[in-house]
Amino acid sequence: MAKLCVIGTGYVGLVTGTCFADLGHRVTCLDIDENRINMLKNGLMPIYEPGLKQIVDQNVEAGRLDFTTSYPEALKGSEFAFIAVGTPSSEDGEADMQYVKSAATSIAKNLDHPTIIVNKSTVPVGTGDWVAEIIHDLNGQVTPKFSVVSNPEFLREGSAVNDFMKPDRVVLGSTDLQAANKVAELYEALRTEIMITDLRTAEMIKYASNAFLATRISFINEMANICETLGADVREVARGMGLDRRIGPAFLDAGLGWGGSCFPKDVKALAHMAVTHDTHPQLLQAVMDINLNQRRHAVNKLDKALGGLQGRTIGVLGLSFKPNTDDTRHSPSLDIIKMLLAEGAVVQAYDPQAMKASKAVVPALELCQNPYEVAQDADALLLATEWNEFKFLDFDQIKTNMRGKVILDGRNIWDGEELQRKGFLYFGMGIPGSK
Ligand code: UGA
């Protein structure tokens, strides 16, 4: 059992801290946001993440997990201090490091015993060295021994708890092998592959992994668009490709493109790092362009199917960037809705978790209570996020409620032939007849 603290209670910090507590460690989670900490102290979750509340409650009750806004309290007796704060990106993609800097500075000011500082935030390559410098510069000769270890996270929103407990690998980077081995011990119970490398390589593994996954999705979306023009079915193409063990089936679902707080930020940041070091990130640029075009492509399909968007009512199912989250950051659904509104359409939508957040970003959006209300008097229905509750709908009821008959299945989850038989004009992404 180790004592550790986690700085930042966003997706990464809260899930990491809670899961470490669940593995038997003693964890204090710190956030400078008092509201957040008060919510957590009162058993309320600041984010929607399946399964998280239950294990937070269990571990608080067991006395292994608590919350604070005080650095001295969090660092007291902690052998490890995890930094898991946000690194939002600026317009040109450069990561905003103010929160990492302030966490490192606060650690430095309160460091009174040997501590291993573990960086979990996704940070530009070289940040580990920079954090070490900040702590040295502030404390000079009197600094108690400390080491910096990079430990990138590979958690997906919506399945973060499961991803923590059943990782494909744990990556650790440090110049101090002893410190990296100590962090490795924290993960021992997970019985997973633990890779130890140098700091910069560990930081790069995170960017390269996200960029590669984003590349796979943009690749299959480009294939989908080619399939549409050639009359092939991208779902079958992806299946046929995925059966090749060198390729594998994951992340080959064509659709409206990728969103969220990670891929857009990380691909852009990696491209920015490359450019600022005189490298031309050709592929990354194309991956981002294809992703943005995919939203426009969906709007064009609706435009063509309806013979214009001005004054049309479009019902949209799903607002979050993917299912099982309330996160709407860079959501393809919201981007498409903004384009539809700009073209003069009326948009009515429903999402199981992300309605409030969406209305705040797109005030002109009309919210509905369920999919059938979304269909009411709609000229077209767009499936934008593949929540489970949208998979099996009563399409006879939807047909009765709709004014028009156009369906754009942006995530290819429905049986197009059956919907055609019911009298809908069905379009998918990369499916024959969907151009
Ligand atoms: C992603 C990575 O998958 C995690 O490994 C990583 O830790 C995380 O970013 C991060 O850097 O923090 P996440 O953003 O939660 O996780 O979401 P994903 O499940 O990876 O999906 C990203 C986007 O790709 C979603 O918009 C999703 O709809 C889209 N997607 C995914 C597709 O369009 N097609 C696919 O086949 C798969």
Side-chain angles (χ1 to χ4, degrees):
M1 192 273 271
K3 163 113 177 62
L4 55 102
C5 67
V6 179
I7 298 153
T9 58
Y11 281 99
V12 178
L14 189 55
V15 171
T16 303
T18 306
C19 289
F20 272 133
D22 208 54
L23 293 180
H25 302 299
R26 177 71 187 80
V27 181
T28 298
C29 287
L30 175 144
D31 206 296
I32 50 168
D33 182 341
E34 257 178 61
N35 278 341
R36 233 165 213 263
I37 291 301
N38 283 336
M39 278 181 83
L40 286 162
K41 281 184 170 169
N42 289 311
L44 300 169
M45 294 301 106
I47 50 167
Y48 172 77
E49 184 63 34
L52 185 60
K53 179 172 165 45
Q54 198 190 349
I55 56 167
V56 167
D57 289 349
Q58 280 165 5
N59 286 284
V60 168
E61 203 164 302
R64 288 191 295 265
L65 179 66
D66 61 5
F67 304 99
T68 183
T69 52
S70 151
Y71 270 92
E73 204 180 304
L75 288 165
K76 193 166 173 236
S78 283
E79 200 183 338
F80 305 89
F82 281 76
I83 299 180
V85 296
T87 50
S89 64
S90 59
E91 208 33 55
D92 62 0
E94 189 176 2
D96 176 351
M97 299 299 288
Q98 60 164 314
Y99 303 110
V100 176
K101 187 173 183 187
S102 118
T105 308
S106 302
I107 292 172
K109 285 184 182 154
N110 291 286
L111 208 63
D112 61 2
H113 63 279
T115 306
I116 297 171
I117 296 155
V118 190
N119 192 22
K120 268 219 155 288
S121 301
T122 301
V123 289
V125 177
T127 300
D129 298 325
W130 176 69
V131 165
E133 268 168 39
I134 293 177
I135 297 174
H136 267 300
D137 289 352
L138 268 174
N139 281 15
Q141 294 305 312
V142 295
T143 303
K145 180 175 164 18
F146 76 92
S147 303
V148 177
V149 176
S150 162
N151 174 207
E153 57 88 15
F154 303 105
L155 310 175
R156 285 165 300 173
E157 287 181 24
S159 57
V161 173
N162 196 53
D163 288 349
F164 183 98
M165 292 300 184
K166 294 189 189 116
D168 289 337
R169 80 303 207 185
V170 168
V171 173
L172 301 172
S174 186
T175 43
D176 180 347
L177 185 60
Q178 218 186 344
N181 278 325
K182 283 199 162 175
V183 180
E185 281 171 23
L186 294 176
Y187 287 100
E188 227 162 41
L190 299 178
R191 295 174 191 276
T192 186
E193 181 85 24
I194 298 183
M195 174 183 171
I196 298 183
T197 180
D198 63 86
L199 258 177
R200 284 170 186 245
T201 304
E203 289 165 346
M204 186 64 192
I205 287 171
K206 166 70 190 195
Y207 281 108
S209 300
N210 272 1
F212 184 71
L213 292 170
T215 302
R216 280 180 72 105
I217 303 168
S218 283
F219 177 86
I220 203 66
N221 282 333
E222 183 158 285
M223 292 307 111
N225 297 347
I226 299 174
C227 280
E228 277 176 14
T229 58
L230 300 180
D233 187 332
V234 76
R235 296 166 299 182
E236 292 294 297
V237 171
R239 197 159 73 92
M241 286 169 62
L243 288 170
D244 183 328
R245 259 173 291 182
R246 293 168 304 174
I247 298 174
F251 277 68
L252 286 180
D253 290 328
L256 302 176
W258 36 272
S261 67
C262 307
F263 287 177
K265 172 172 77 78
D266 293 351
V267 179
K268 209 170 171 189
L270 183 56
H272 179 82
M273 277 186 271
V275 169
T276 50
H277 290 85
D278 294 330
T279 312
H280 180 40
Q282 288 189 88
L283 180 60
L284 297 181
Q285 201 49 56
V287 166
M288 290 188 279
D289 290 346
I290 292 168
N291 195 48
L292 283 186
N293 287 342
Q294 202 63 4
R295 281 118 155 111
R296 173 51 60 191
H297 184 54
V299 173
N300 289 347
K301 274 172 180 262
L302 284 170
D303 190 358
K304 194 172 157 201
L306 292 169
L309 291 165
Q310 177 67 40
R312 301 292 195 171
T313 299
I314 318 286
V316 177
L317 295 177
L319 296 164
S320 55
F321 83 94
K322 66 169 189 177
N324 299 323
T325 177
D326 59 354
D327 199 339
T328 57
R329 285 176 284 179
H330 296 280
S331 166
S333 174
L334 290 192
D335 287 348
I336 290 169
I337 288 171
K338 285 183 211 157
M339 290 183 207
L340 292 171
L341 290 168
E343 305 266 342
V346 173
V347 181
Q348 51 196 38
Y350 165 76
D351 185 283
Q353 291 293 337
M355 304 245 266
K356 210 171 135 201
S358 304
K359 183 82 180 168
V361 187
V362 189
L365 183 61
E366 289 176 21
L367 297 177
C368 303
Q369 290 314 306
N370 57 55
Y372 304 98
E373 252 187 45
V374 169
Q376 195 63 50
D377 298 327
D379 295 297
L381 191 63
L382 165 67
L383 183 287
T385 316
E386 69 279 28
W387 286 88
N388 272 342
E389 69 173 78
F390 300 150
K391 287 187 179 154
F392 299 97
L393 296 174
D394 178 350
F395 280 101
D396 294 324
Q397 185 62 55
I398 295 220
K399 184 94 200 308
T400 312
N401 290 9
M402 281 177 72
R403 180 164 52 215
K405 52 183 180 177
V406 170
I407 285 193
L408 175 54
D409 178 359
R411 300 288 176 179
N412 292 344
I413 64 167
W414 291 325
D415 180 343
E417 280 172 21
E418 199 196 321
L419 294 184
Q420 300 270 25
R421 276 196 297 276
K422 284 189 185 292
F424 289 102
L425 256 178
Y426 174 89
F427 300 89
M429 304 299 285
I431 295 174
S434 280
K435 207 175 143 199

